[in-house]
Amino acid sequence: MLKLSKKSEYALMAARYMAIKNHGTAVTAKEIADQHQISFELVAKVLQSLTRNDITVSFQGVKGGYTLKKNPLEISLIDLIRSVEPDFQITNCLKTDTNKNECSHSDCCKIKDPLAEVQKKIDKVFYETKLAHII
Amino acid sequence: MLKLSKKSEYALMAARYMAIKNHGTAVTAKEIADQHQISFELVAKVLQSLTRNDITVSFQGVKGGYTLKKNPLEISLIDLIRSVEPDFQITNCLKTDTNKNECSHSDCCKIKDPLAEVQKKIDKVFYETKLAHII
DNA sequence: ATAAATAAGACTAAATTAGTCTGGTATAAA
DNA sequence: TTTATACCAGACTAATTTAGTCTTATTTAT
């Protein structure tokens, strides 16, 4: 249905929140969950993904939390989304350098090559839209 | 995950097939299913949707089938996809004229308005890509 | 009449996504 | 140095969505 997952939405919401609360102090997963009234555990996992993908920095222990690692103008939506949704593509069978053509209806479907072009354009939209733009 | 559904893929595949086999004769759902080795029933339903949405014309009875109603250059991917997937949007809570703001985390999420811009760009990509381009 | 085709919708199965739970580690502060 | 707070990681379950099947009806060329 070409819909973003909750994880992606939460990633955007969390990142936006951190970008706005740009005091020196780190933001906790709990604070984000409370402010947005969403599942703490899920946001927590999303934030962990963001950290693994170098979007955020985490601080453990009391007074711990998360801060953005880069400027909101330098964080693309595609970075945020790919962090929580590694295989972000409109159809499975797009040829890439790594993934060589594993389409279920292999060479008979013929729509995958043209769709790769569409994918590029979609990626461009999400690449060019920065966190700063959704604030 | 922002992936097209099989129904959308099948709609593209079927439309492409009809565009290529541009003889006067109608193409049957069975032929499309066989050629692409995909579920007959599903393609059949997809073709019915396309017909309801004025993409194709159907002919019932023996020697029946489907033909495209318009020129492949005048059929947008978004028409094809929306035929089988009426609520084609990256997130549920985008404000539109009809659907007034039914976001689960209502006005606290704040990402929906900016995402509406992203949605417009995505729509543009799928609008500007015509059936003729994926042949 | 009959066989081949579309039409429509109910139903089931499979896959994906969302959300929960558990146990662990790090660390500031009492 | 204990304790409370917060991150980390992965297994697990529940809910939702998507994919696919089945059934019945209608149309129409031969």
Side-chain angles (χ1 to χ4, degrees), chain B residues 5-7 10 39 41-42 45 60-63 85:
Chain B
S5 64
K6 291 265 183 235
K7 268 158 81 174
Y10 292 175
S39 156
E41 284 97 339
L42 260 192
K45 285 212 290 195
Q60 292 205 348
V62 178
K63 299 250 175 186
E85 207 109 45

Side-chain angles (χ1 to χ4, degrees), chain A residues 18-65:
Chain A
M18 288 184 275
I20 288 174
K21 280 207 58 173
N22 53 357
H23 320 121
T25 59
V27 171
T28 68
K30 184 162 190 320
E31 179 178 350
I32 295 176
D34 288 348
Q35 287 294 319
H36 298 87
Q37 304 195 52
I38 55 184
S39 157
F40 161 73
E41 284 96 340
L42 259 193
V43 196
K45 285 212 290 196
V46 163
L47 286 161
Q48 287 164 30
S49 298
L50 293 182
T51 300
R52 274 194 298 273
N53 286 274
D54 266 340
I55 309 287
T56 47
V57 194
S58 70
F59 304 97
Q60 291 205 351
V62 177
K63 299 250 176 188

Side-chain angles (χ1 to χ4, degrees), chain B residues 38-108:
Chain B
I38 56 184
S39 156
F40 161 74
E41 284 97 339
L42 260 192
V43 195
K45 285 212 290 195
V46 163
L47 285 161
Q48 286 164 29
S49 299
L50 293 181
T51 300
R52 274 194 298 272
N53 285 274
D54 265 341
I55 309 287
T56 47
V57 193
S58 71
F59 304 96
Q60 292 205 348
V62 178
K63 299 250 175 186
Y66 300 88
T67 57
L68 290 172
K69 200 169 181 178
K70 286 182 281 187
N71 188 291
L73 261 171
E74 288 162 355
I75 301 176
S76 292
L77 294 208
I78 202 162
D79 299 328
L80 293 168
I81 295 170
R82 283 235 174 91
S83 296
V84 293
E85 207 109 45
D87 35 318
F88 172 69
Q89 47 185 21
I90 57 175
T91 177
N92 290 329
C93 55
L94 297 177
K95 275 190 206 148
T96 62
D97 300 343
T98 51
N99 156 29
K100 276 279 175 191
N101 190 6
E102 33 182 75
C103 178
S104 55
H105 14 77
S106 59
D107 44 23
C108 59

